[in-house]
Coordinates of all heavy atoms in Angstrom, one line a residue:
M1 N -31.0 -67.3 140.8 CA -31.8 -66.4 140.0 C -32.9 -67.2 139.4 O -32.7 -68.3 138.9 CB -31.0 -65.7 138.9 CG -31.8 -64.8 138.1 SD -30.9 -63.9 136.8 CE -29.9 -62.9 137.8
I2 N -34.1 -66.7 139.4 CA -35.3 -67.4 138.9 C -35.2 -67.3 137.3 O -35.1 -66.3 136.8 CB -36.6 -66.8 139.4 CG1 -36.7 -67.0 140.9 CG2 -37.8 -67.4 138.7 CD1 -37.9 -66.3 141.5
E3 N -35.4 -68.5 136.7 CA -35.5 -68.5 135.3 C -37.0 -68.1 134.9 O -37.9 -68.6 135.5 CB -35.2 -69.9 134.7 CG -33.8 -70.4 134.9 CD -33.5 -71.7 134.4 OE1 -34.3 -72.2 133.5 OE2 -32.5 -72.3 134.8
L4 N -37.1 -67.3 133.9 CA -38.4 -66.8 133.5 C -39.3 -67.9 133.0 O -40.5 -67.9 133.2 CB -38.3 -65.7 132.4 CG -37.6 -64.4 132.9 CD1 -37.6 -63.4 131.7 CD2 -38.2 -63.9 134.1
T5 N -38.7 -68.9 132.3 CA -39.6 -70.1 131.8 C -40.2 -70.8 133.0 O -41.4 -71.1 133.0 CB -38.7 -71.0 131.0 OG1 -38.2 -70.3 129.9 CG2 -39.5 -72.2 130.5
R6 N -39.4 -71.0 134.0 CA -39.9 -71.7 135.2 C -41.0 -70.9 135.9 O -42.0 -71.4 136.4 CB -38.8 -72.0 136.2 CG -37.9 -73.1 135.8 CD -36.8 -73.3 136.9 NE -35.9 -74.4 136.5 CZ -34.8 -74.6 137.1 NH1 -34.4 -73.8 138.1 NH2 -34.0 -75.6 136.7
L7 N -40.8 -69.6 135.9 CA -41.8 -68.7 136.5 C -43.1 -68.7 135.7 O -44.1 -68.8 136.3 CB -41.2 -67.2 136.6 CG -42.1 -66.2 137.2 CD1 -42.5 -66.6 138.6 CD2 -41.4 -64.8 137.2
R8 N -43.0 -68.7 134.4 CA -44.2 -68.8 133.6 C -44.9 -70.1 133.8 O -46.2 -70.1 133.9 CB -43.8 -68.7 132.1 CG -43.4 -67.3 131.6 CD -43.2 -67.3 130.1 NE -42.4 -66.2 129.7 CZ -42.8 -65.0 129.6 NH1 -44.1 -64.7 129.8 NH2 -42.0 -64.0 129.2
L9 N -44.2 -71.2 134.0 CA -44.9 -72.4 134.2 C -45.5 -72.5 135.6 O -46.6 -73.0 135.8 CB -43.9 -73.6 134.0 CG -43.4 -73.8 132.6 CD1 -42.2 -74.8 132.6 CD2 -44.5 -74.3 131.7
F10 N -44.9 -71.9 136.6 CA -45.4 -71.8 137.9 C -46.7 -71.0 137.9 O -47.8 -71.4 138.5 CB -44.5 -71.2 138.9 CG -45.1 -70.7 140.2 CD1 -45.5 -71.6 141.1 CD2 -45.4 -69.4 140.4 CE1 -46.2 -71.2 142.3 CE2 -46.0 -68.9 141.5 CZ -46.5 -69.8 142.5
I11 N -46.7 -69.8 137.3 CA -47.8 -69.0 137.2 C -49.0 -69.7 136.5 O -50.2 -69.6 136.9 CB -47.5 -67.6 136.5 CG1 -46.6 -66.8 137.5 CG2 -48.8 -66.8 136.1 CD1 -46.0 -65.6 136.9
A12 N -48.7 -70.4 135.4 CA -49.8 -71.1 134.7 C -50.4 -72.2 135.6 O -51.6 -72.3 135.7 CB -49.2 -71.8 133.5
A13 N -49.5 -72.9 136.4 CA -50.1 -74.0 137.3 C -50.9 -73.3 138.4 O -52.0 -73.8 138.7 CB -48.9 -74.7 137.9
A14 N -50.5 -72.2 138.9 CA -51.2 -71.5 140.0 C -52.6 -71.0 139.4 O -53.6 -71.1 140.1 CB -50.4 -70.4 140.5
E15 N -52.5 -70.4 138.2 CA -53.8 -69.8 137.7 C -54.8 -70.9 137.2 O -56.0 -70.7 137.3 CB -53.4 -68.9 136.5 CG -52.7 -67.6 137.0 CD -52.4 -66.6 135.9 OE1 -52.3 -67.1 134.7 OE2 -52.3 -65.5 136.2
H16 N -54.2 -72.0 136.7 CA -55.1 -73.1 136.2 C -55.5 -74.1 137.2 O -56.3 -75.0 137.0 CB -54.5 -73.7 135.0 CG -54.4 -72.8 133.8 ND1 -55.5 -72.6 132.9 CD2 -53.4 -72.1 133.3 CE1 -55.1 -71.8 132.0 NE2 -53.9 -71.4 132.2
G17 N -54.9 -74.0 138.4 CA -55.2 -74.9 139.5 C -54.7 -76.3 139.4 O -55.1 -77.2 140.1
G18 N -53.7 -76.5 138.5 CA -53.1 -77.9 138.4 C -52.1 -77.9 137.3 O -52.1 -77.1 136.4
Y19 N -51.3 -79.0 137.4 CA -50.2 -79.1 136.4 C -50.8 -79.5 135.0 O -50.4 -79.0 134.0 CB -49.2 -80.2 136.8 CG -48.5 -79.9 138.1 CD1 -48.2 -80.9 139.0 CD2 -48.0 -78.6 138.4 CE1 -47.5 -80.6 140.1 CE2 -47.3 -78.3 139.5 CZ -47.0 -79.4 140.4 OH -46.3 -79.1 141.5
A20 N -51.7 -80.4 135.0 CA -52.3 -80.9 133.7 C -53.0 -79.8 133.0 O -52.8 -79.6 131.8 CB -53.3 -82.1 134.0
E21 N -53.7 -79.0 133.7 CA -54.5 -77.9 133.1 C -53.5 -76.8 132.6 O -53.6 -76.3 131.5 CB -55.4 -77.2 134.1 CG -56.5 -78.1 134.6 CD -56.1 -79.1 135.7 OE1 -55.0 -79.1 136.1 OE2 -57.0 -79.9 136.1
A22 N -52.4 -76.5 133.3 CA -51.4 -75.6 132.9 C -50.7 -76.1 131.6 O -50.4 -75.4 130.7 CB -50.4 -75.3 134.0
A23 N -50.4 -77.4 131.7 CA -49.7 -78.1 130.5 C -50.5 -77.9 129.3 O -50.0 -77.6 128.2 CB -49.4 -79.5 130.8
R24 N -51.8 -78.2 129.4 CA -52.7 -78.1 128.2 C -52.7 -76.7 127.7 O -52.6 -76.4 126.5 CB -54.1 -78.5 128.5 CG -54.3 -80.0 128.4 CD -55.8 -80.4 128.5 NE -56.4 -80.2 129.8 CZ -56.3 -81.0 130.8 NH1 -55.7 -82.1 130.7 NH2 -57.0 -80.6 131.9
A25 N -52.8 -75.7 128.6 CA -52.9 -74.3 128.2 C -51.6 -73.8 127.5 O -51.6 -73.0 126.6 CB -53.2 -73.4 129.4
L26 N -50.5 -74.4 127.9 CA -49.2 -74.0 127.4 C -48.6 -74.9 126.3 O -47.5 -74.8 125.8 CB -48.2 -73.8 128.5 CG -48.5 -72.8 129.5 CD1 -47.5 -72.8 130.7 CD2 -48.5 -71.4 128.9
Y27 N -49.4 -75.9 126.0 CA -49.0 -76.9 124.9 C -47.7 -77.6 125.3 O -46.7 -77.7 124.5 CB -48.9 -76.3 123.6 CG -50.2 -75.7 123.1 CD1 -50.4 -74.3 123.2 CD2 -51.3 -76.5 122.7 CE1 -51.6 -73.7 122.8 CE2 -52.5 -75.9 122.3 CZ -52.6 -74.6 122.4 OH -53.8 -74.0 122.0
T28 N -47.6 -78.0 126.5 CA -46.4 -78.7 127.0 C -46.9 -79.9 127.8 O -48.0 -80.3 127.9 CB -45.5 -77.8 127.8 OG1 -44.2 -78.4 128.1 CG2 -46.1 -77.4 129.2
S29 N -46.0 -80.6 128.5 CA -46.3 -81.8 129.2 C -46.5 -81.5 130.7 O -45.9 -80.6 131.3 CB -45.2 -82.9 129.1 OG -44.1 -82.5 129.7
H30 N -47.3 -82.4 131.3 CA -47.5 -82.3 132.8 C -46.2 -82.4 133.5 O -46.0 -81.6 134.5 CB -48.4 -83.5 133.2 CG -48.7 -83.6 134.6 ND1 -47.8 -84.1 135.5 CD2 -49.8 -83.3 135.4 CE1 -48.3 -84.1 136.7 NE2 -49.5 -83.7 136.7
S31 N -45.3 -83.3 133.1 CA -44.0 -83.4 133.8 C -43.2 -82.2 133.7 O -42.4 -81.9 134.6 CB -43.3 -84.7 133.3 OG -43.0 -84.6 132.0
T32 N -43.2 -81.5 132.6 CA -42.5 -80.3 132.4 C -42.9 -79.2 133.4 O -42.0 -78.6 134.0 CB -42.6 -79.7 131.0 OG1 -42.1 -80.7 130.0 CG2 -41.9 -78.4 130.8
V33 N -44.2 -79.1 133.6 CA -44.7 -78.1 134.5 C -44.3 -78.5 136.0 O -43.8 -77.7 136.8 CB -46.2 -77.9 134.4 CG1 -46.8 -77.0 135.5 CG2 -46.6 -77.5 133.0
S34 N -44.5 -79.8 136.3 CA -44.2 -80.3 137.6 C -42.7 -80.1 137.9 O -42.4 -79.7 139.0 CB -44.6 -81.8 137.7 OG -44.2 -82.3 138.9
R35 N -41.9 -80.5 137.0 CA -40.4 -80.3 137.3 C -40.0 -78.8 137.5 O -39.2 -78.5 138.3 CB -39.6 -80.9 136.1 CG -39.5 -82.4 136.2 CD -38.5 -83.0 135.2 NE -38.6 -82.5 133.9 CZ -39.3 -83.2 132.9 NH1 -39.8 -84.3 133.2 NH2 -39.4 -82.7 131.7
A36 N -40.6 -78.0 136.7 CA -40.3 -76.5 136.8 C -40.7 -76.0 138.2 O -39.9 -75.3 138.8 CB -41.0 -75.8 135.7
V37 N -41.9 -76.4 138.6 CA -42.4 -75.9 139.9 C -41.5 -76.5 141.0 O -41.1 -75.7 142.0 CB -43.8 -76.2 140.1 CG1 -44.3 -75.9 141.6 CG2 -44.7 -75.4 139.2
S38 N -41.2 -77.7 140.9 CA -40.3 -78.4 141.9 C -38.9 -77.7 142.0 O -38.3 -77.5 143.0 CB -40.2 -79.9 141.7 OG -41.4 -80.5 141.9
A39 N -38.4 -77.4 140.8 CA -37.1 -76.7 140.7 C -37.1 -75.4 141.3 O -36.2 -75.0 142.0 CB -36.6 -76.6 139.3
L40 N -38.2 -74.6 141.1 CA -38.4 -73.3 141.8 C -38.4 -73.4 143.3 O -37.8 -72.7 144.0 CB -39.7 -72.6 141.3 CG -39.6 -71.6 140.2 CD1 -41.0 -71.1 139.8 CD2 -38.6 -70.5 140.5
E41 N -39.2 -74.4 143.8 CA -39.3 -74.6 145.2 C -37.9 -74.9 145.8 O -37.6 -74.4 146.9 CB -40.3 -75.7 145.5 CG -41.7 -75.3 145.3 CD -42.7 -76.3 145.5 OE1 -42.5 -77.5 145.2 OE2 -43.8 -76.0 146.1
K42 N -37.2 -75.8 145.1 CA -35.9 -76.2 145.6 C -34.9 -75.0 145.6 O -34.2 -74.7 146.5 CB -35.3 -77.3 144.7 CG -34.0 -77.8 145.2 CD -33.5 -79.0 144.4 CE -32.2 -79.5 144.9 NZ -31.7 -80.6 144.1
E43 N -35.0 -74.2 144.5 CA -34.1 -73.0 144.3 C -34.4 -72.0 145.4 O -33.4 -71.4 146.0 CB -34.3 -72.4 143.0 CG -33.5 -71.2 142.7 CD -33.7 -70.6 141.3 OE1 -34.4 -71.3 140.4 OE2 -33.3 -69.5 141.1
L44 N -35.6 -71.8 145.7 CA -36.0 -70.7 146.7 C -36.0 -71.2 148.1 O -36.0 -70.5 149.0 CB -37.4 -70.2 146.3 CG -37.5 -69.5 145.0 CD1 -38.9 -69.1 144.6 CD2 -36.6 -68.2 145.0
G45 N -36.1 -72.6 148.3 CA -36.1 -73.2 149.6 C -37.4 -73.0 150.3 O -37.4 -73.1 151.6
V46 N -38.5 -72.9 149.6 CA -39.8 -72.8 150.2 C -40.8 -73.5 149.4 O -40.6 -73.7 148.2 CB -40.3 -71.3 150.3 CG1 -39.4 -70.5 151.3 CG2 -40.4 -70.6 149.0
A47 N -41.9 -74.0 150.0 CA -43.0 -74.6 149.3 C -43.8 -73.5 148.7 O -44.1 -72.4 149.4 CB -43.8 -75.4 150.3
L48 N -44.2 -73.6 147.5 CA -45.0 -72.6 146.8 C -46.4 -73.1 146.6 O -47.3 -72.2 146.6 CB -44.4 -72.3 145.4 CG -43.0 -71.8 145.4 CD1 -42.4 -71.8 144.0 CD2 -42.9 -70.4 146.0
L49 N -46.6 -74.4 146.6 CA -48.0 -74.9 146.4 C -48.3 -75.9 147.5 O -47.5 -76.6 148.0 CB -48.0 -75.7 145.0 CG -47.7 -74.8 143.8 CD1 -47.6 -75.7 142.6 CD2 -48.8 -73.8 143.6
V50 N -49.6 -76.0 147.7 CA -50.2 -77.0 148.6 C -50.9 -78.0 147.7 O -51.8 -77.6 146.9 CB -51.2 -76.4 149.6 CG1 -51.8 -77.5 150.4 CG2 -50.6 -75.3 150.4
R51 N -50.4 -79.2 147.7 CA -50.9 -80.2 146.8 C -51.9 -81.1 147.5 O -51.7 -81.6 148.6 CB -49.7 -81.1 146.3 CG -48.8 -80.3 145.4 CD -47.4 -80.9 145.5 NE -46.4 -80.2 144.6 CZ -45.7 -79.2 145.0 NH1 -45.8 -78.7 146.2 NH2 -44.8 -78.6 144.2
S52 N -53.1 -81.2 146.9 CA -54.1 -82.1 147.4 C -54.9 -82.7 146.2 O -55.4 -82.0 145.4 CB -55.1 -81.3 148.3 OG -55.8 -80.4 147.6
N53 N -54.8 -84.0 146.1 CA -55.4 -84.7 145.0 C -55.0 -84.1 143.7 O -53.9 -84.1 143.3 CB -56.9 -84.9 145.2 CG -57.3 -85.8 146.3 OD1 -56.5 -86.6 146.8 ND2 -58.5 -85.7 146.9
R54 N -56.0 -83.5 143.0 CA -55.7 -82.9 141.7 C -55.6 -81.4 141.7 O -55.2 -80.8 140.7 CB -56.8 -83.4 140.7 CG -56.8 -84.8 140.5 CD -57.8 -85.2 139.4 NE -57.6 -84.4 138.2 CZ -57.3 -84.8 137.1 NH1 -57.2 -86.1 136.9 NH2 -57.1 -84.1 136.0
L55 N -56.0 -80.8 142.8 CA -56.0 -79.3 142.9 C -54.8 -78.8 143.6 O -54.3 -79.4 144.5 CB -57.3 -78.8 143.6 CG -58.6 -79.1 142.9 CD1 -59.8 -78.7 143.8 CD2 -58.7 -78.5 141.6
L56 N -54.4 -77.6 143.2 CA -53.2 -77.0 143.8 C -53.7 -75.7 144.5 O -54.5 -75.0 144.0 CB -52.2 -76.6 142.8 CG -51.6 -77.7 142.0 CD1 -50.6 -77.1 140.9 CD2 -50.8 -78.6 142.9
G57 N -53.2 -75.5 145.7 CA -53.4 -74.2 146.4 C -52.1 -73.5 146.6 O -51.0 -74.2 146.4
L58 N -52.1 -72.3 146.9 CA -50.9 -71.5 147.1 C -50.5 -71.3 148.5 O -51.4 -71.0 149.3 CB -51.0 -70.2 146.4 CG -51.1 -70.2 144.9 CD1 -51.4 -68.8 144.4 CD2 -49.9 -70.7 144.2
T59 N -49.3 -71.5 148.8 CA -48.8 -71.1 150.2 C -48.6 -69.6 150.2 O -48.7 -68.9 149.1 CB -47.4 -71.7 150.4 OG1 -46.5 -71.2 149.5 CG2 -47.5 -73.2 150.3
P60 N -48.4 -68.9 151.3 CA -48.1 -67.5 151.3 C -47.0 -67.1 150.4 O -47.0 -66.1 149.7 CB -47.8 -67.2 152.8 CG -48.6 -68.2 153.5 CD -48.5 -69.5 152.7
A61 N -45.9 -67.9 150.4 CA -44.8 -67.7 149.5 C -45.2 -67.8 148.0 O -44.8 -67.0 147.1 CB -43.6 -68.6 149.7
G62 N -46.1 -68.8 147.7 CA -46.6 -68.9 146.4 C -47.5 -67.8 145.9 O -47.4 -67.3 144.8
E63 N -48.3 -67.2 146.9 CA -49.1 -66.1 146.6 C -48.2 -64.9 146.2 O -48.5 -64.1 145.2 CB -50.0 -65.7 147.8 CG -51.1 -66.6 148.1 CD -52.3 -66.4 147.2 OE1 -52.4 -65.4 146.4 OE2 -53.2 -67.2 147.3
L64 N -47.2 -64.7 147.0 CA -46.3 -63.6 146.7 C -45.6 -63.7 145.4 O -45.5 -62.8 144.6 CB -45.2 -63.5 147.8 CG -44.1 -62.4 147.6 CD1 -44.7 -61.0 147.6 CD2 -43.1 -62.5 148.7
L65 N -45.1 -65.0 145.1 CA -44.4 -65.2 143.8 C -45.4 -65.0 142.6 O -45.0 -64.5 141.6 CB -43.8 -66.6 143.8 CG -43.0 -66.9 142.6 CD1 -41.8 -65.9 142.4 CD2 -42.5 -68.3 142.6
L66 N -46.6 -65.4 142.8 CA -47.6 -65.3 141.7 C -47.8 -63.8 141.4 O -47.7 -63.4 140.3 CB -48.9 -65.9 142.1 CG -50.1 -65.7 141.1 CD1 -49.8 -66.4 139.8 CD2 -51.4 -66.3 141.7
H67 N -48.0 -63.0 142.5 CA -48.3 -61.6 142.3 C -47.1 -60.9 141.7 O -47.2 -60.2 140.7 CB -48.7 -61.0 143.6 CG -48.9 -59.5 143.6 ND1 -50.0 -58.9 142.9 CD2 -48.1 -58.5 144.0 CE1 -49.8 -57.6 143.0 NE2 -48.7 -57.3 143.7
E68 N -46.0 -61.0 142.4 CA -44.7 -60.3 141.9 C -44.2 -60.9 140.6 O -43.6 -60.2 139.8 CB -43.7 -60.4 143.0 CG -44.0 -59.7 144.3 CD -44.1 -58.2 144.1 OE1 -43.4 -57.6 143.3 OE2 -44.9 -57.6 144.9
G69 N -44.4 -62.2 140.4 CA -43.9 -62.8 139.2 C -44.7 -62.3 138.0 O -44.0 -62.1 136.9
K70 N -46.0 -62.1 138.1 CA -46.7 -61.5 137.0 C -46.2 -60.1 136.6 O -46.0 -59.8 135.4 CB -48.2 -61.4 137.3 CG -48.9 -62.6 137.3 CD -50.4 -62.4 137.7 CE -51.2 -63.6 137.7 NZ -52.6 -63.3 138.0
T71 N -45.8 -59.3 137.6 CA -45.3 -58.0 137.3 C -43.9 -58.1 136.6 O -43.6 -57.4 135.7 CB -45.1 -57.2 138.7 OG1 -46.4 -57.1 139.3 CG2 -44.5 -55.9 138.5
L72 N -43.1 -59.1 137.1 CA -41.8 -59.3 136.5 C -41.9 -59.7 135.1 O -41.2 -59.2 134.2 CB -41.0 -60.3 137.3 CG -39.6 -60.7 136.8 CD1 -38.7 -59.5 136.8 CD2 -39.1 -61.8 137.7
L73 N -42.8 -60.7 134.8 CA -42.9 -61.2 133.4 C -43.5 -60.1 132.5 O -43.0 -60.0 131.3 CB -43.9 -62.4 133.4 CG -43.3 -63.7 134.0 CD1 -44.3 -64.8 133.9 CD2 -42.0 -64.1 133.3
A74 N -44.4 -59.2 133.0 CA -44.9 -58.1 132.2 C -43.7 -57.2 131.8 O -43.6 -56.7 130.7 CB -46.0 -57.4 132.9
A75 N -42.9 -56.9 132.8 CA -41.7 -56.0 132.6 C -40.7 -56.6 131.6 O -40.2 -56.0 130.7 CB -41.0 -55.7 133.9
A76 N -40.5 -57.9 131.7 CA -39.6 -58.6 130.7 C -40.2 -58.6 129.3 O -39.5 -58.4 128.4 CB -39.4 -60.1 131.2
D77 N -41.5 -58.8 129.2 CA -42.1 -58.8 127.9 C -42.0 -57.4 127.3 O -41.8 -57.2 126.1 CB -43.6 -59.3 128.0 CG -43.7 -60.8 128.3 OD1 -42.7 -61.5 128.1 OD2 -44.8 -61.2 128.7
S78 N -42.3 -56.4 128.1 CA -42.2 -55.0 127.7 C -40.8 -54.7 127.2 O -40.6 -54.0 126.2 CB -42.6 -54.1 128.8 OG -42.5 -52.7 128.4
L79 N -39.8 -55.1 127.9 CA -38.4 -54.9 127.6 C -38.1 -55.5 126.2 O -37.5 -54.8 125.4 CB -37.5 -55.4 128.6 CG -36.0 -55.3 128.3 CD1 -35.6 -53.9 128.1 CD2 -35.2 -56.0 129.4
C80 N -38.5 -56.7 126.0 CA -38.3 -57.4 124.7 C -38.9 -56.6 123.6 O -38.3 -56.4 122.5 CB -38.9 -58.8 124.7 SG -37.9 -59.9 125.8
E81 N -40.1 -56.1 123.8 CA -40.8 -55.3 122.7 C -40.1 -54.0 122.4 O -39.9 -53.6 121.3 CB -42.3 -55.0 123.1 CG -43.1 -56.2 123.1 CD -43.2 -56.9 121.7 OE1 -43.3 -56.2 120.7 OE2 -43.0 -58.2 121.7
K82 N -39.6 -53.4 123.5 CA -38.9 -52.1 123.3 C -37.5 -52.3 122.5 O -37.2 -51.5 121.7 CB -38.6 -51.4 124.6 CG -39.8 -50.9 125.3 CD -39.5 -50.3 126.7 CE -40.8 -49.8 127.3 NZ -40.5 -49.3 128.7
V83 N -36.9 -53.4 122.9 CA -35.6 -53.7 122.2 C -35.9 -54.0 120.7 O -35.2 -53.6 119.8 CB -34.9 -54.9 122.9 CG1 -33.8 -55.5 122.0 CG2 -34.4 -54.5 124.3
K84 N -36.9 -54.8 120.4 CA -37.3 -55.1 119.0 C -37.6 -53.9 118.2 O -37.3 -53.8 117.0 CB -38.5 -56.1 119.0 CG -38.1 -57.5 119.4 CD -39.3 -58.3 119.4 CE -39.1 -59.7 120.0 NZ -40.3 -60.5 120.1
E85 N -38.2 -52.9 118.9 CA -38.5 -51.6 118.2 C -37.3 -50.8 117.8 O -37.4 -49.9 116.9 CB -39.4 -50.8 119.1 CG -40.8 -51.3 119.3 CD -41.6 -50.6 120.3 OE1 -41.1 -49.6 120.9 OE2 -42.8 -51.0 120.6
Q86 N -36.2 -51.1 118.4 CA -34.9 -50.4 118.1 C -34.3 -50.8 116.8 O -33.3 -50.2 116.3 CB -33.9 -50.5 119.2 CG -34.4 -49.9 120.5 CD -34.7 -48.4 120.4 OE1 -33.9 -47.7 119.9 NE2 -35.9 -48.0 120.8
T87 N -34.7 -51.9 116.2 CA -34.1 -52.4 114.9 C -34.7 -51.8 113.7 O -35.8 -51.2 113.7 CB -34.2 -53.9 114.9 OG1 -35.5 -54.3 114.9 CG2 -33.4 -54.5 116.0

């Protein structure tokens, strides 16, 4: 099962075009983002990113995870808000 934190870090790396840029945007370390993406790739058994020098590109699997992952995170965030409203 995909951990939401790893998914958030992957999406940030994909949207920012690199680990360092994603790390700065999320106030975390480059290695945290890199490890999270590597763990996702290992868990899913597919490459998600095409690495070249400093820029990252998405594989077809990465494109799918980016698109569907955004939807999943939005649903998770919405659920959290709805639960909080019940108190």
Side-chain angles (χ1 to χ4, degrees):
M1 179 179 294
I2 294 176
E3 293 181 22
L4 295 183
T5 300
R6 286 181 181 165
L7 182 57
R8 285 184 200 282
L9 292 169
F10 163 75
I11 290 171
E15 290 182 335
H16 290 279
Y19 298 143
E21 295 82 358
R24 277 193 293 276
L26 297 175
Y27 302 102
T28 191
S29 69
H30 176 284
S31 61
T32 298
V33 177
S34 176
R35 280 194 307 266
V37 172
S38 292
L40 263 180
E41 289 179 319
K42 184 176 180 181
E43 179 181 348
L44 297 172
V46 296
L48 299 170
L49 299 172
V50 177
R51 293 149 177 94
S52 65
N53 291 339
R54 295 184 54 117
L55 296 176
L56 298 177
L58 294 172
T59 64
E63 289 280 354
L64 177 63
L65 185 60
L66 176 62
H67 176 72
E68 296 293 328
K70 285 181 179 182
T71 302
L72 178 63
L73 289 180
D77 291 342
S78 176
L79 175 60
C80 288
E81 289 304 314
K82 288 176 183 176
V83 169
K84 288 177 185 177
E85 290 171 2
Q86 296 301 309
T87 59

